[in-house]
Every structure is written in structure tokens, then in C-alpha cells.
């Protein structure tokens, strides 16, 4: 059965043409379709990776994200627009519904155009906060491009982000062998709430801050946020693994900054930007090309000698020795690969009723070309009831894995209990019972066979 499931999954993967694990239909919302020429390399990279792109404006009468209750598109990209409202087809309620339907969204902001109210309200639902004016400018007087922003200092230069966590590898970390930098021009910073579903990818340097250039042209008194409080690129992954990314600078995705040469303040030489590689990684994660985990199969069975080797039985007995196994794959750009749990992380199995009775690490046992099997063996507790084998793996930048198998755990049957003489703790009781029986039989024998003594009066009468 397991081999049949693996074969069907491989067949489906071979038939699928889309590079994304969640679909190929991509909708781009922008002010004018002609504006796509400024992002030709970004959209060209997406088309080369297998996406079918549709361009629409907020004023389009035919625009609709759903048809007959189903998604018309798998992914959305919002570029900066001059309109304040995006129309009835792109209200916050519709966008949240799109996320609930496992659709992915990439939002690109710009300090030149205030974000539409629909975008602001939707981001607030995700606990992502924009400046009150919706177009706050991020500047840095120490880390800026002296060529293009010698006066405003609004082109912030940052090093390539390293691994965001020890267990995330390099999903967002482009290689920079020659000291290349990321250019963040005319960008909008965000502040984040404390929600566990949020994860910043790129934070502002400690010397950067966000302000409103229209109201505070000469002096900055009241800052929206500064330093690491500002997230320049933010990701959000819903509980259904739908993804939302907010790129604070739409110019990061433009042709101009894909191939630009920048020179940091205080540096002698110009270097190329990493924007193109970084844009590929952010869009790839958002649209389900990286960090996607798949459960191929789950199996649990008895591993005791003389017992049936039936897979996934519905009932076990207390104190049974069982083995649980799960096969996982990770989607990386265009293929399913074996999923490897980082050293500082753990994949855990819970065997629980109302609360866990066991919480055990799952260890890799076998690896194939497209999957890794993790397994754990343990003894069931001395407690009958309804239990769950549960794997609940939730990590930043990886899709959620939630697998639960419900089984019944029964008591020993009447013919499964061991005999008393096998249990060493029963020996004193058995000895006491034996002593009582022997003593009683001895007493009865003495009482029956002992002749009573005759009295003296009886002898005289004779």
C-alpha cells in the first residue's frame, strides 16, 4: 500500500507543469498595464519559472478573485497604485477570504504612493502596521548610496541577510561572494505585532528611521519607528500555510535596481546589487516554490514478536510496543526532495489523550530520492482510552505539518493476564494462602483423629 501511494505521488508530480507547489495562476494588480515594462525582468523570471501571469487594474470590471466559490487565481501581486480604493473585488474581506482559501499574496509598497485602504486594512488583520500617513520614508544617513541618494539618503544599502534562524538554512540568503549589497530605495517600513505567524526577513539597520517627508521636511521630531523596530520585508504564514509577503520597496523589484551599481557611503568601490536574487527568493517562498513540506504517508504498527504486523490498526492494548513512522518531502523550486530536520531543531511525536503521555523525537531511518522517513518506537502507557498519534510541526518559513491518527487502547483481556506465580510481587500472598490452607488442614486432621479423655465417674459406674 505504501509503495502504491508513493508511486501515485511521483506520477502526479511528473504530470504537473507548474513550478509552484500551489499553482501557476498569478494575478498582478497595477495602475496601468503599461507599467509592467518597468518590472520586465522580475515578471520575466516568474514566467520562466512556469507562472501564467494576468495583468489587471483596480478599475477592471471583469476582475474577480472567485468564481462559483473557487479561486480564479493562485497568487496575487499588488504593485503601488495611486488610487485610494481598490474596488469591490479587492476589499479587505475578499482578500482575507482569498488567504483563507490558501491563496498567496505579495504586496509591494512605495513611499511615492500611499498604500490603498484595502491593503492597509488587510495588513492590520495580519498585525502588520504601516506609518499613519501610509507612505513613511525610510532613510539612513550612514548606509546609503552616494550615487543616487547623496542628499535624501533614501536608498538604504544592506548586506545580504544571513540565515534568519539556525533551523531555516538559506531560504532568503543570496550568496554575495564579492560584497554585493541589497538596495532598498524609497521604501516604507513596517512595525510588527507579537503574533507567532509573523516573521521579518529584512530589518532596518540600527541607524535607519522612518518619517513623513511632507510634514517633517526640515526637522524630524516624531518618528514612526527606528532601527530594528522597522521591518523592511515581512512574511506572514497563516495556519493553513497560505503566505503573505510585504516588500517595503517596490523599486527593489524594478529593472533599474536589478542591475544597478551602488556605492556605500565611506566605500571606495561600487558593487552590484543582490536585488534580483533576493526578489527571486522572496517571491519563490511566497508562491510556494520553497519551504513547502508534504506528508507522503503515515504508519503505526505493533513491533512485538508473535503479534500481527497489520499497518495502522484501530486498537492497541496497554503496554504494547509500537512503532510510528512518517515520510516527509520538501519542495525546492521545481522538485520534491528529502526533508532534513536541522540539527538544532526537532521533529516530535506526541502520544496523547487530553494531554501528552509521551513526547518523543522522530529520528530519520531511511532516505529516498524525494523523501525522508522519520520513526520512533515506544511502549504504550498503562492507561486505557482514546489516544492520538500526533505530529504538529510548525516552524517559521516552512509550511505546517499537522497529522493525527486516533486509536483505542484497551485493557488486558481475561486470557492475557499473567498467572500469579509469574508475578514475583505475588509470592508472599501465595505463600500466605498456602500456609493458611496447610494450617487449616492440619487443624482439621488433629481435631478429627484425636480421642477425647474419659472422666473418672464414668469409670466407677463400670
Amino acid at each position: 500500500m505504501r509503495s502504491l501511494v508513493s508511486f501515485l505521488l511521483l506520477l502526479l508530480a511528473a504530470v504537473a507543469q507548474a513550478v509552484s507547489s500551489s499553482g501557476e495562476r498569478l494575478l498582478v494588480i497595477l495602475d496601468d498595464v503599461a507599467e509592467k515594462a518597468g518590472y520586465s525582468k522580475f515578471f520575466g523570471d516568474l514566467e520562466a519559472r512556469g507562472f501564467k501571469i494576468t495583468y489587471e487594474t483596480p478599475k477592471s470590471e471583469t476582475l474577480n478573485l472567485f468564481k462559483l466559490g473557487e479561486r480564479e487565481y493562485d497568487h496575487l501581486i499588488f504593485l503601488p497604485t495611486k488610487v485610494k480604493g481598490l474596488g469591490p473585488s479587492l476589499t479587505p474581506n475578499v482578500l482575507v477570504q482569498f488567504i483563507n482559501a490558501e491563496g498567496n499574496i505579495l504586496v509591494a509598497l512605495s513611499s511615492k504612493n500611499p498604500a490603498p485602504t484595502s491593503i492597509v486594512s488587510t495588513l492590520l488583520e495580519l498585525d502588520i502596521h504601516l506609518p499613519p500617513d501610509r507612505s513613511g520614508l525610510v532613510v539612513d544617513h550612514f548606509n546609503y548610496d552616494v550615487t543616487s541618494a547623496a542628499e535624501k539618503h533614501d536608498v538604504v544599502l544592506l548586506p545580504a541577510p544571513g540565515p534568519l534562524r539556525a533551523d531555516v538554512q538559506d531560504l532568503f540568503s543570496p550568496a554575495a561572494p564579492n560584497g554585493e549589497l541589497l538596495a532598498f530605495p524609497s521604501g516604507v517600513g513596517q512595525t510588527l505585532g507579537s503574533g507567532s505567524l509573523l516573521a521579518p526577513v529584512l530589518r532596518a539597520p540600527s541607524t535607519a528611521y522612518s518619517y513623513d517627508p511632507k510634514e517633517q521636511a526640515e526637522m524630524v521630531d516624531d518618528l514612526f519607528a527606528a532601527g530594528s523596530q522597522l521591518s523592511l520585508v515581512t512574511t506572514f504564514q497563516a495556519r493553513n500555510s497560505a503566505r503573505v509577503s510585504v516588500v517595503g520597496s517596490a523599486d527593489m523589484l524594478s529593472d533599474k535596481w536589478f542591475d544597478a551599481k551602488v556605492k556605500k557611503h565611506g566605500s571606495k568601490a561600487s558593487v552590484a546589487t543582490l536585488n534580483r536574487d533576493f526578489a527571486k527568493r522572496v517571491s519563490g517562498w511566497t508562491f510556494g516554490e520553497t519551504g513547502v513540506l508534504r506528508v507522503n504517508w503515515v504508519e503505526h504498527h505493533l513491533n512485538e514478536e508473535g503479534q500481527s504486523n497489520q499497518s495502522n490498526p484501530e486498537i492497541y492494548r496497554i503496554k504494547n510496543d509500537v512503532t510510528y513512522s512518517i515520510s516527509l518531502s520538501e519542495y525546492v523550486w521545481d522538485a520534491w526532495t528529502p526533508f532534513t530536520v536541522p540539527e538544532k531543531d526537532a521533529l516530535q511525536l506526541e502520544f496523547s489523550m487530553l494531554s501528552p503521555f509521551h513526547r518523543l523525537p522522530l529520528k530519520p531511518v531511511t532516505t529516498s530520492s524525494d523523501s525522508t522517513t522519520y520513526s520512533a518506537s515506544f511502549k504504550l502507557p498503562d492507561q486505557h482510552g482514546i489516544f492520538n498519534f500526533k505530529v504538529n510541526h510548525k516552524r517559521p518559513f516552512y509550511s505546517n505539518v499537522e497529522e493525527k491518527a486516533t486509536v483505542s487502547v484497551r485493557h488486558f483481556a481475561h486470557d492475557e493476564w499473567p498467572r500469579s506465580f509469574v508475578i514475583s510481587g505475588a509470592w508472599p500472598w501465595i505463600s500466605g494462602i498456602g500456609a493458611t490452607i496447610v494450617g487449616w488442614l492440619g487443624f482439621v486432621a488433629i481435631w478429627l483423629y484425636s480421642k477425647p479423655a474419659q472422666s473418672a465417674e464414668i469409670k466407677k459406674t463400670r
Side-chain angles (χ1 to χ4, degrees), residues 55-65 73 86-89:
Y55 301 92
E56 294 284 359
T57 66
K59 300 179 181 179
S60 175
E61 297 180 356
T62 60
L63 177 60
N64 201 340
L65 298 185
Y73 304 96
L86 297 179
S89 298

Side-chain angles (χ1 to χ4, degrees), residues 46 65-66 69 91 155 160 174 176 185 187 205 207 263 281 321 352 368 394:
L46 290 173
L65 298 185
F66 294 91
T91 61
V155 179
T207 51
K263 184 178 180 181
R281 292 172 181 268
D321 291 320
S352 60
S368 65
K394 295 179 179 177

Side-chain angles (χ1 to χ4, degrees), residues 323-326 328 341 345-350 359-365 373-378 390-392:
T323 297
Y324 178 92
S325 302
I326 183 170
L328 294 175
V341 178
D345 196 9
L347 180 67
Q348 292 183 327
L349 166 69
E350 287 186 359
R359 185 178 284 122
L360 306 167
L362 289 163
K363 301 297 183 181
V365 290
T373 300
Y374 292 86
S375 182
S377 298
F378 63 100
K390 188 174 181 180
V391 175
N392 187 11

Side-chain angles (χ1 to χ4, degrees), residues 169-227:
Q169 302 175 1
D170 59 350
L171 294 179
F172 299 94
S173 308
N178 300 318
E180 293 90 344
L181 298 171
L182 282 172
F184 187 81
S186 304
V188 179
Q190 314 105 49
T191 58
L192 310 181
S194 58
S196 60
L197 304 179
L198 290 168
V201 173
L202 194 64
R203 287 195 179 273
S206 59
T207 51
Y209 61 91
S210 175
Y211 78 106
D212 184 0
K214 298 178 181 179
E215 298 181 0
Q216 303 171 347
E218 297 181 357
M219 184 179 298
V220 179
D221 295 327
D222 187 15
L223 297 177
F224 168 64

Side-chain angles (χ1 to χ4, degrees), residues 16 27 47 64 100 126 149 194 230 315 350 364 373 378 403 462:
L27 174 64
E47 289 177 343
N64 201 340
N100 290 336
L126 310 182
S194 58
L230 284 170
I315 188 168
E350 287 186 359
T373 300
F378 63 100
E403 286 293 325
R462 292 181 179 177

